[in-house]
Structures are given as structure tokens and as C-alpha cells.
Amino acid sequence: MSEDERAEGSPVGRRVVLGMLGLGVAGVAVGASVQDKVSRTLAPVGPIGDVLPLAAGSATTRSRPV
């Protein structure tokens, strides 16, 4: 395969990287509002932190003594 043939291929790697960066930016941009909506939706169910330990706040906060 010559250099010219390799250069004309589709830039799949570049598209994957740019797509991942775009998804990361979108997650940062709307993540807080989505998390607030999910928390408000699940609030009537009860403390979701008892079922999902990381849902209670930060990863360093624990409901049980170590």
C-alpha cells in the first residue's frame, strides 16, 4: 500500500476521537440538570443512596462506618 492510498482512506480514528470529545462536552454541559431531574423524580421513592451508595453524594461519603 503506497502513501497516497493510505492518505485517501476515511479518517475513522479522527471521527471517533472528535465524537468522544463532543459527547464529553455534552455530558459536562447538561449533566448537572439531568442529575437534578433524576433526583427530583426519584425523591418520592425514598433515599436512593441506600440502594446505590454513590447516588447519595460523593464517593468519599459513606453511610456505614468503615
Side-chain angles (χ1 to χ4, degrees), residues 58-66:
S58 91
T60 59
T61 306
R62 295 179 184 230
S63 58
R64 296 179 260 155
V66 179

Side-chain angles (χ1 to χ4, degrees), residues 23-41:
L23 288 174
V25 168
V28 169
V30 298
S33 63
V34 170
Q35 182 180 4
D36 289 340
K37 289 177 184 176
V38 169
S39 294
R40 274 188 262 130
T41 303

